[in-house]
Amino acid sequence: MSRPLANITKETLAPLWGRHDIPVDRIASALGVSRQAVSYKAKSLGLPSRAKVRRCYVDDETFTRMWNAGVCSTDMAAHFGYTHRSAIGTRRRILGLPARTRGKGGTNSGGWHQTISLTQFFEAELAAAMQAEAQQRKAAQ
């Protein structure tokens, strides 16, 4: 009886297991086993559950700057490649950032206070960088 996973070691499975862009079904078909067999082998080798390992699409500092600037959650999710905007709220809680408050609608986007678009954020970042460079040049003269 053939046991295709018998020779699979932690060192050979870990790089594939850690790549969330490769579905478990694809790994399983390449090895000629079921998806469950690959998951069981990963667990037996001590690899972390894929469901519990959160993908991090951007560094904490950039995320914090965007959140504090008030970038819309939907725009942030689309920009970072998250599948749903609720991932932004989850990340915000993990980082301990303050929640946003709702207003009475009207002039603010979606009823949220302090919400700006991604474009407005990048324009503000560019303006700040240009101003800092201009001050450096002026100081150097």
Side-chain angles (χ1 to χ4, degrees), residues 36-102:
Q36 292 85 350
V38 174
S39 295
Y40 180 77
K41 183 66 175 185
K43 185 176 181 177
S44 70
L45 292 173
L47 297 175
S49 166
R50 279 182 145 200
K52 292 181 182 174
V53 177
R54 299 258 183 233
R55 286 180 259 185
C56 185
Y57 294 108
V58 67
D59 63 288
D60 292 343
E61 190 260 329
T62 302
F63 185 93
T64 301
R65 272 194 354 263
M66 290 179 114
W67 181 261
N68 289 336
V71 177
C72 172
S73 296
T74 304
D75 289 352
M76 289 175 69
H79 178 71
F80 298 138
Y82 288 106
T83 56
H84 196 270
R85 68 178 178 195
S86 64
I88 300 299
T90 301
R91 182 104 185 262
R92 176 208 49 93
R93 283 188 295 280
I94 290 169
L95 293 174
L97 299 173
R100 295 192 177 144
T101 57
R102 279 207 183 262

Side-chain angles (χ1 to χ4, degrees), residues 10-46:
K10 187 174 185 175
E11 290 74 27
T12 55
L13 186 58
L16 291 172
W17 189 251
R19 290 203 38 199
H20 290 274
D21 60 324
I22 302 173
V24 178
D25 290 330
R26 190 182 216 181
I27 297 169
S29 66
L31 295 172
V33 296
S34 70
R35 177 181 55 81
Q36 292 85 350
V38 174
S39 295
Y40 180 77
K41 183 66 175 185
K43 185 176 181 177
S44 70
L45 292 173

Side-chain angles (χ1 to χ4, degrees), residues 122-137:
F122 285 131
E123 286 174 353
E125 290 271 301
L126 181 61
M130 290 172 71
Q131 186 177 22
E133 187 175 331
Q135 287 176 350
Q136 267 186 340
R137 286 183 183 185

